[in-house]
Amino acid sequence: MGLLESLRNSFSRRSDAGGSRANEDLFDDDFQRKLDYLAIVSRRVFAGRMRAERRTKKTGSGVEFADHREYQPGDDFRYLDWNVYQRFDKLLLRLFEEEEDLAIYFIVDASGSMAFGTGDKLRYAKRICAALAYVGLANLDRVCIVSTSDRVMMRMAETRGKARIFKVFRFLRELESAGTTDLGDALKTFVAQHKRRGLAVLISDLYDPQGFERGINVLRYNKFDPFVVHVVDKAEEKPKLFGDVLLYDCETGDEREVTVTPKVLSRFREEYEKYIHDIDRFCATRQVPYVRADVSVPFDELILRVFRRGGFLR
């Protein structure tokens, strides 16, 4: 086990400190007012687009020309391109883009590490999910939410229309962190359960012992469009520890006695920064939209960053 794995989730037994905050209403009146503002901003940012529907890469009998293909016996003569036939003496069929609702899947990591310390990461993830879901619902997209650890834990069925945001609130309030992280296995189950492809927004701290890449690749290889929201807490980058301490992993319960010195903390920060850089580089080289979500940043500011980053509303 490397230095990062030794320290990442497990600096001290502070995970119960956020228990009293867990039942606070994350979605109060002030939060809901900000959602309306964000929905308005999203429409301005993407002015000129159809609100109700978005074009997919699927071709069929729509109205927007997409491509040609050669005529095959049995094809509908109505779609033959007679202009092409007159010019090139070839029978080609016109293909059109079909328009259908965009399916947006929110995959919320609810493993044990998301409740580390005061539980701010899971709280923040819920707020991000609710805000982005509201924007999707306001644009009449189909929204689905699942929670994961090393498996798919809970699922909110697809829904549509911004009045359904209260269904989203109820689902997210019930989410509790538990279990170990295995995004690869969890997302294999996810793609098997959801045959309709769409945008998959992964909201996670990406602390996966098997490698954060596995889960993202499962989405990519199964023709989902991944969008990564990486939830981070500065308290994990610079733990306030010194001397002989007993560390434990809040997901597995493993314990280790460690003597924390300035040199150890320096090495840990180097490993942490390298890990962040690896995630950033992995997403950039594979053209996966990536946003780092620091829990100290107001959630509405983070959502505006998502809009500016692109890839969420297309």
Side-chain angles (χ1 to χ4, degrees), residues 29-232:
D29 291 342
D30 182 58
F31 179 85
Q32 293 178 42
R33 282 192 295 271
K34 289 180 179 179
L35 292 191
D36 283 325
Y37 163 73
L38 291 170
I40 292 171
V41 170
S42 74
R43 288 194 291 271
R44 289 178 179 172
V45 171
F46 299 96
R49 295 181 182 270
M50 295 180 64
R51 288 184 57 224
E53 296 180 329
R54 308 190 195 167
R55 289 188 178 90
T56 68
K57 297 178 183 178
K58 186 178 178 182
T59 56
S61 56
V63 295
E64 186 78 12
F65 175 75
D67 202 353
H68 286 101
R69 72 167 173 82
E70 291 187 4
Y71 171 80
Q72 300 292 331
D75 285 337
D76 193 330
F77 285 106
R78 291 178 299 173
Y79 299 115
L80 282 172
D81 192 327
W82 295 109
N83 290 328
V84 171
Y85 178 71
Q86 289 175 353
R87 294 181 60 188
F88 303 107
D89 196 27
K90 288 185 177 181
L91 288 175
L92 296 179
L93 227 64
R94 290 173 295 173
L95 301 178
F96 299 88
E97 285 185 342
E98 283 191 350
E99 293 178 348
E100 61 180 26
D101 301 340
L102 177 67
I104 306 178
Y105 300 97
F106 293 94
I107 304 163
V108 181
D109 180 357
S111 61
S113 65
M114 290 292 286
F116 167 76
T118 59
D120 283 342
K121 286 193 296 185
L122 184 58
R123 289 169 54 83
Y124 199 63
K126 290 180 179 183
R127 286 194 156 200
I128 294 170
C129 180
L132 293 177
Y134 184 74
V135 171
L137 292 171
N139 283 282
L140 300 183
D141 294 315
R142 297 187 181 275
V143 168
C144 171
I145 306 175
V146 300
S147 66
T148 64
S149 55
D150 58 349
R151 56 190 172 83
V152 173
M153 298 167 65
M154 295 173 59
R155 178 180 182 274
M156 188 195 81
E158 285 188 13
T159 192
R160 181 178 176 183
K162 66 179 183 179
R164 300 293 185 177
I165 189 60
F166 297 101
K167 180 179 180 181
V168 171
F169 290 164
R170 287 194 296 272
F171 178 84
L172 292 174
R173 284 189 184 106
E174 294 175 1
L175 287 190
E176 295 183 359
S177 62
T180 58
T181 305
D182 191 328
L183 292 174
D185 282 356
L187 294 182
K188 285 178 184 177
T189 301
F190 166 80
V191 299
Q193 293 175 343
H194 300 86
K195 300 302 182 184
R196 178 183 177 135
R197 295 334 189 206
L199 179 65
V201 182
L202 175 61
I203 307 174
S204 171
D205 59 10
L206 299 179
Y207 284 147
D208 188 340
Q210 306 300 318
F212 66 87
E213 303 93 341
R214 292 176 66 241
I216 299 172
N217 281 334
V218 167
L219 296 173
R220 293 175 58 235
Y221 297 158
N222 285 276
K223 299 184 178 180
F224 284 85
D225 295 320
F227 189 113
V228 178
V229 179
H230 182 198
V231 184
V232 299

Side-chain angles (χ1 to χ4, degrees), residues 235-305:
E236 297 178 7
E237 179 183 1
K238 298 178 180 179
K240 296 180 180 180
L241 298 176
F242 192 76
D244 296 330
V245 296
L246 177 65
L247 304 180
Y248 85 110
D249 191 306
C250 61
E251 292 190 353
T252 66
D254 292 343
E255 296 183 344
R256 173 177 296 186
E257 293 183 356
V258 176
T259 299
V260 180
T261 65
K263 184 176 181 180
V264 169
L265 291 177
S266 177
R267 285 184 54 206
F268 173 74
R269 282 193 292 271
E270 290 175 2
E271 289 292 324
Y272 184 90
E273 290 170 2
K274 179 179 181 299
Y275 187 67
I276 296 294
H277 175 72
D278 288 346
I279 295 170
D280 200 347
R281 183 177 56 185
F282 174 85
C283 292
T285 57
R286 289 156 182 81
Q287 297 183 320
V288 174
Y290 168 77
V291 175
R292 192 173 307 127
D294 189 325
V295 298
S296 65
V297 175
F299 87 93
D300 48 335
E301 290 185 20
L302 189 280
I303 299 303
L304 293 177
R305 289 184 189 176

